[in-house]
Amino acid sequence: MNEEQLVRAVARGDRAAFEELYRRTSPWLAVRLRRRCADEQVVAEVMQETYLAVWRAAGSFAGAAVDGTAVGWLWTIAARRLVDAFRGRARQAGPLPAAAAAPAAEDEALAGAFGDDVGGALRDLAPELRQVLQAMVLDGLTVRETAVLLGVPEGTVKTRARRARIAMREALS
């Protein structure tokens, strides 16, 4: 059974399918979340909330009918839960003093994943352009999945991806 079939079985209440989906996807999902958050407690909470949401909402998965994949759907849920966790913690903690601000774990991962030139060019991109590149290139999401993840129209994703490619090309030439 592939992941889409597993999600469909989960929608029917199949616990074994849920366990298999978790076994196949949780290592991958944890790695992706850790790229964006160095706090293991937050990652664990997001993982738990994500799979709880999958169990509850598997029937809403549209799948290939909307050019989506089960893994993309799962990542969309997790990414939204991560954003919610960041927002919740930011409300609790209040603003950080300027001296306490550190580079995001995601930016550090980008810098380490690529050479200095590419990492620097990625860091210099406007945040909205970098988000699109990260979702589409690093996470392998489709335009539609990226649009859902970022909460913007598909046309905006395409425009930002084009602008990001142009900016990267100029920075690296």
Side-chain angles (χ1 to χ4, degrees):
M1 238 192 277
N2 66 29
E3 285 81 8
E4 184 168 343
Q5 292 166 329
L6 288 171
V7 171
R8 301 242 183 263
V10 169
R12 294 187 302 271
D14 185 336
R15 287 184 184 267
F18 179 78
E19 290 171 6
E20 178 63 17
L21 181 67
Y22 181 84
R23 187 190 65 72
R24 286 187 193 181
T25 59
S26 63
W28 165 87
L29 185 59
V31 167
R32 290 247 158 108
L33 289 169
R34 285 184 189 112
R35 283 185 190 163
R36 287 164 170 69
C37 179
D39 186 333
E40 282 297 320
Q41 182 179 354
V42 172
V43 170
E45 290 170 9
V46 169
M47 292 280 292
Q48 183 176 9
E49 291 174 16
T50 298
Y51 284 100
L52 180 60
V54 166
W55 177 256
R56 290 179 176 164
S60 69
F61 172 63
V66 293
D67 294 329
T69 64
V71 172
W73 178 71
L74 185 71
W75 171 244
T76 300
I77 293 169
R80 287 185 174 181
R81 296 299 186 276
L82 185 60
V83 168
D84 291 346
F86 285 154
R87 286 182 183 150
R89 288 185 184 252
R91 278 192 297 271
Q92 290 173 350
L96 288 175
E106 188 169 40
D107 292 335
E108 290 177 9
L110 280 173
F114 300 103
D116 289 337
D117 293 343
V118 175
L122 282 168
R123 279 191 306 277
D124 291 343
L125 281 178
E128 68 274 7
L129 302 182
R130 190 171 53 244
Q131 289 173 336
V132 168
L133 276 187
Q134 288 169 337
M136 294 179 73
V137 176
L138 293 179
D139 297 330
L141 298 180
T142 65
V143 169
R144 179 169 292 174
E145 291 165 343
T146 301
V148 170
L149 172 66
L150 300 177
V152 297
E154 289 181 39
T156 301
V157 169
K158 291 176 184 177
T159 300
R160 288 179 182 175
R162 183 176 180 278
R163 287 178 47 212
R165 284 192 303 270
I166 292 168
M168 289 294 292
R169 193 175 308 123
E170 289 173 359
L172 295 172
S173 62

